[in-house]
């Protein structure tokens, strides 16, 4: 007579391996500031103009674009530079949600080189000149150097990646050139630029992990 079959002990189910896809990181530029750019300035006057720009807010009467409002609605976290123009931009699109303010995202400095007083340019072009001198010739006048700003952009990218790895989209309301620096770090870490509106006011650039 054959032996009866041994009882089978049920095995506990194996834990499922859950892979969380990283959320997107969206770098957006602030809205249009109130300070007029329709003027001609010497290099010294531009230095004063930029100081006012840094503490000024947005031009009244602007409406955030629907696409940026939709991005904010879908974001799991919203960060903003501590500059007033970024703070007001974030408030305009966040619909009362929490905004995490962080000086980590402020703009890189723009000290212009010293040119003769007869040489005048609009603020837009002084910004280009000052950025070239800062970037190429390390002209910083005791402010943040290019190397320091690059280290800051790397820290910003790491912080955003850590937040996005939870699966939430992360939106940052900040500034044109520093957003560019952070975006460059994201690409170096394997994030792809999948949607690009450039660097105009209210624009956004979306990065996803590939």
């Amino acid at each position: 007579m054959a032996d009866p079959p041994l009882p089978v002990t049920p095995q506990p189910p194996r834990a499922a391996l859950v892979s969380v896809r990283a959320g997107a990181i969206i770098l957006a530029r602030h809205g249009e500031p109130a300070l007029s750019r329709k003027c001609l300035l010497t290099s010294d006057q531009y230095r004063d103009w930029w100081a006012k720009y840094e503490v000024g807010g947005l031009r009244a009467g602007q409406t955030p674009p629907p696409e940026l409002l939709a991005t904010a609605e879908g974001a799991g976290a919203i960060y903003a530079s501590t500059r007033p123009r970024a703070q007001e931009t974030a408030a305009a699109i966040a619909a009362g949600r929490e905004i995490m303010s962080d000086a980590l995202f402020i703009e890189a400095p723009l000290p212009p080189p010293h040119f003769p007083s007869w040489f005048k340019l609009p603020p837009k072009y002084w910004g280009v000149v000052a950025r070239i001198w800062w970037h190429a010739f390390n002209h910083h006048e005791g402010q943040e150097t290019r190397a320091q700003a690059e280290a800051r952009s790397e820290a910003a990218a790491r912080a955003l990646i850590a937040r996005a790895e939870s699966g939430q989209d992360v939106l940052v309301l900040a500034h044109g050139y520093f957003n560019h620096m952070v975006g460059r770090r994201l690409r170096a870490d394997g994030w792809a630029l999948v949607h690009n509106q450039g660097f105009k006011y209210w624009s956004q650039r979306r990065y996803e992990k590939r």
Side-chain angles (χ1 to χ4, degrees):
M1 182 175 180
D3 293 334
L6 297 174
V8 177
T9 303
Q11 298 295 317
R14 299 178 66 181
L17 297 177
V18 178
S19 176
V20 177
R21 181 177 176 85
I25 297 173
I26 304 100
L27 306 178
R29 191 182 181 198
H30 55 77
E32 183 181 352
L35 191 60
S36 174
R37 292 179 176 232
K38 297 178 180 179
C39 54
L40 289 175
L41 305 172
T42 67
S43 60
D44 288 340
Q45 288 171 335
Y46 175 73
R47 188 173 287 101
D48 294 338
W49 184 94
W50 177 257
K52 294 176 182 176
Y53 184 86
E54 283 282 74
V55 298
L58 297 184
R59 180 180 60 78
Q62 297 180 70
T63 301
E67 189 173 355
L68 186 56
L69 291 171
T71 296
E73 184 177 359
I78 301 175
Y79 290 88
S81 155
T82 54
R83 298 302 191 216
R85 59 193 186 277
Q87 289 286 305
E88 291 183 16
T89 301
I93 69 169
R97 295 176 53 198
E98 179 187 8
I99 300 167
M100 290 170 282
S101 301
D102 198 327
L104 188 64
F105 301 108
I106 64 173
E107 182 62 291
L110 273 177
H114 292 278
F115 278 31
S117 60
W118 55 261
F119 187 85
K120 295 184 177 183
L121 289 172
K124 177 180 179 179
Y125 295 107
W126 272 125
V128 173
V129 171
R131 183 61 69 210
I132 291 172
W133 252 251
W134 178 84
H135 187 91
F137 307 120
N138 198 33
H139 177 81
H140 57 83
E141 297 187 351
Q143 300 180 54
E144 185 179 44
T145 66
R146 174 185 169 185
Q148 290 169 335
E150 286 177 344
R152 180 162 62 91
S153 70
E154 185 173 356
R158 286 198 306 267
L160 296 174
I161 290 170
R163 188 63 184 254
E165 283 177 344
S166 68
Q168 295 181 325
D169 286 358
V170 181
L171 173 62
V172 182
L173 287 311
H175 310 274
Y177 195 77
F178 192 70
N179 280 356
H180 163 72
M181 297 181 74
V182 175
R184 188 170 56 189
R185 290 305 317 161
L186 291 174
R187 291 195 301 273
D189 288 334
W191 292 69
L193 178 59
V194 299
H195 181 57
N196 182 6
Q197 293 184 337
F199 297 99
K200 62 184 182 294
Y201 298 128
W202 301 104
S203 64
Q204 55 181 309
R205 294 160 67 87
R206 182 184 181 93
Y207 296 83
E208 294 180 358
K209 183 68 173 178
R210 292 296 176 86

